[in-house]
Structures are given as structure tokens and as C-alpha cells.
């Protein structure tokens, strides 16, 4: 059973940075399609960044140039570096994974079987 555990959320002022971590157990992260989703109050879950097993990344337009996904295979850990945060980035952030996800549907929540418990990110202006 694949298990994902996020950490690194918190409160930050607008313009600040945070780095989220997601530790993977039960499988090698290098064999999984992985990514990050977020859900703001009253809104649907939104795909933020996805990374396939070849290392190719997909990034939502809303975070391009500010958010970067990376992976440490030795630690079986996925990261999300978030820079220049704004209040619009306030949400619960989820680490997600699945064995196979279509490149054209990486942003669809239903494509992912495994979800972490989520970590809160709050950006104040």
C-alpha cells in the first residue's frame, strides 16, 4: 500500500516562500506519477504540478514561474518549492500519486489513487 505524508505547510506573508515535502512509503517514488494538488475554501481541488516517471513536469498556469516540483529518489521524497506566494495560494496542499496517469489529464483529481492527508498553507497580505 502506497502511503504519502506531507509536511512543511504553515503561515507566511505575501511574497514569501515555503517548501512542502511528501515522504513516500510502500513504493519507490521514481516508479510513480506524482504531483501536488490544492483546495482552497469553497473551491474544487486544483492540480498544481505533476511529474511523470521520466521526470517531465506539468505546471498549472496560475503557479508557473513560482512553484517548482522536485524529487529526491534516495529519500523517496517529493518536494514543492513555492516562491512569491500570494493570498490566492492559500489552500490545503495534497501530495498525490498513481502508477499511471495520462499526460493530458495530470490535473484531474480522479486520476490519482493515492492522496496524502494534506498540509495547510496560509498566505497573508
Amino acid at each position: 500500500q502506497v502511503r504519502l505524508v506531507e509536511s512543511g505547510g504553515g503561515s507566511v506573508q505575501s511574497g514569501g516562500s515555503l517548501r512542502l515535502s511528501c515522504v513516500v512509503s510502500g513504493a519507490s517514488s521514481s516508479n510513480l506519477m506524482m504531483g501536488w494538488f490544492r483546495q482552497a475554501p469553497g473551491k474544487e481541488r486544483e492540480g498544481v504540478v505533476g511529474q511523470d516517471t521520466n521526470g517531465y513536469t506539468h505546471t498549472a498556469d496560475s503557479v508557473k514561474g513560482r512553484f517548482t516540483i522536485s524529487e529526491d529518489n534516495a529519500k523517496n521524497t517529493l518536494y514543492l518549492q513555492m516562491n512569491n506566494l500570494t493570498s490566492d495560494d492559500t489552500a490545503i496542499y495534497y501530495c498525490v500519486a498513481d502508477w499511471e496517469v495520462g499526460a493530458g489529464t495530470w490535473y484531474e483529481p480522479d486520476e490519482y489513487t493515492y492522496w496524502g492527508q494534506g498540509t495547510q498553507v496560509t498566505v497573508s497580505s
Side-chain angles (χ1 to χ4, degrees):
Q1 180 73 2
V2 176
R3 186 168 179 244
L4 310 174
V5 179
E6 305 102 330
S7 63
S11 297
V12 65
Q13 289 192 327
S14 183
S17 299
L18 281 173
R19 188 177 79 157
L20 306 183
S21 299
C22 171
V23 177
V24 181
S25 60
S28 173
S29 60
S30 61
N31 294 331
L32 294 164
M33 171 72 183
M34 300 200 66
W36 293 91
F37 276 67
R38 67 184 181 185
Q39 187 167 24
K43 294 187 177 181
E44 294 184 353
R45 289 189 179 185
E46 173 191 20
V48 178
V49 186
Q51 179 171 287
D52 65 24
T53 55
N54 295 319
Y56 187 82
T57 61
H58 310 270
T59 307
D61 288 343
S62 57
V63 304
K64 267 182 184 173
R66 301 188 300 121
F67 289 15
T68 304
I69 192 172
S70 63
E71 191 173 2
D72 186 334
N73 292 332
K75 294 182 178 180
N76 227 25
T77 300
L78 186 75
Y79 301 99
L80 181 66
Q81 178 67 43
M82 304 184 294
N83 298 327
N84 195 21
L85 287 159
T86 73
S87 56
D88 288 340
D89 298 316
T90 294
I92 299 174
Y93 283 72
Y94 298 91
C95 178
V96 299
D98 205 293
W99 298 106
E100 187 174 348
V101 175
T105 55
W106 71 270
Y107 53 88
E108 295 282 2
D110 289 345
E111 289 287 323
Y112 298 88
T113 302
Y114 306 107
W115 289 71
Q117 81 286 355
T119 185
Q120 177 71 47
V121 172
T122 303
V123 184
S124 58
S125 55

